[in-house]
Amino acid sequence: MKKVLFLVLITVLLTSAADFAHAFDGDRKGFVLNLGAGFGQGKLKVSGGGDSVSDDGTGVSTVFKIGAGVSEQAVLYYTNRVVWWSVEGISVNTGMSAAGFSYFFQPQAPSFFVTGALGLGAAKVEDFDSESGFGFGIGAGFEFARNWTLELQYLQAKVAEEMGLSLTASN
């Protein structure tokens, strides 16, 4: 738990300084670096033979993006999103590393935007090996001031398949 609080504190401190580095001129076009944190919900689902069992929990969500604004409204980037949660005292991490795209409806804030990503989803349960597989993400958000956004995103990946059972991770 101390690790998660430390990560949240560092993320808040780094994002508060984001205004100074935003493409150096306030434009979305050019180099993009995004750090964020917030509330997240993770879910692991095992299914097979027409039945399924799932477990979910809430925790801290972190996001890292690095890429380029190809125009004032379109941004391409690499992203890594993780939700840090627990089930009955066992820590679980679910997330995705992916190539992402965001489209802003206005060239400057305030603006609504949509986002999508394709990449490698992963699930890690304490004391077990990490599992990973192809996944996707879709979302929408609102940039209410330059460099400050609120975003909702859904991620899902089939991270393992064995003996007729599949394990799906989602956030």
Side-chain angles (χ1 to χ4, degrees):
M1 187 65 170
K2 288 182 183 181
K3 264 193 218 180
V4 172
L5 290 175
F6 179 73
L7 285 171
V8 170
L9 179 62
I10 292 298
T11 303
V12 168
L13 291 173
L14 290 174
T15 56
S16 66
D19 193 24
F20 304 110
H22 189 279
F24 304 107
D25 59 5
D27 295 333
R28 286 192 198 110
K29 190 173 180 181
F31 177 73
V32 174
L33 177 63
N34 175 289
L35 300 171
F39 170 80
Q41 180 173 9
K43 181 176 183 178
L44 289 175
K45 179 178 175 182
V46 177
S47 56
D51 294 323
S52 66
V53 176
S54 64
D55 225 333
D56 62 1
T58 58
V60 175
S61 176
T62 58
V63 63
F64 168 79
K65 294 180 187 176
I66 189 166
V70 294
S71 74
E72 293 299 330
Q73 292 176 264
V75 180
L76 293 171
Y77 48 82
Y78 160 80
T79 183
N80 183 278
R81 293 178 176 271
V82 179
V83 174
W84 313 80
W85 52 289
S86 66
V87 177
E88 297 176 12
I90 298 170
S91 68
V92 181
N93 304 333
T94 53
M96 182 179 298
S97 291
F101 175 79
S102 292
Y103 180 78
F104 292 81
F105 295 108
Q106 299 296 323
Q108 294 181 337
S111 177
F112 286 98
F113 65 93
V114 292
T115 184
L118 294 173
L120 189 65
K124 171 72 172 120
V125 178
E126 184 178 330
D127 298 330
F128 290 94
D129 290 337
S130 173
E131 299 289 342
S132 60
F134 181 75
F136 70 93
I138 57 171
F142 183 70
E143 181 182 35
F144 57 90
R146 193 180 79 179
N147 304 322
W148 293 96
T149 64
L150 291 175
E151 182 176 351
L152 294 173
Q153 182 139 58
Y154 175 77
L155 307 172
Q156 180 177 312
K158 183 183 285 188
V159 295
E161 192 163 24
E162 193 172 316
M163 300 182 336
L165 297 174
S166 65
L167 176 63
T168 302
S170 60
N171 295 346

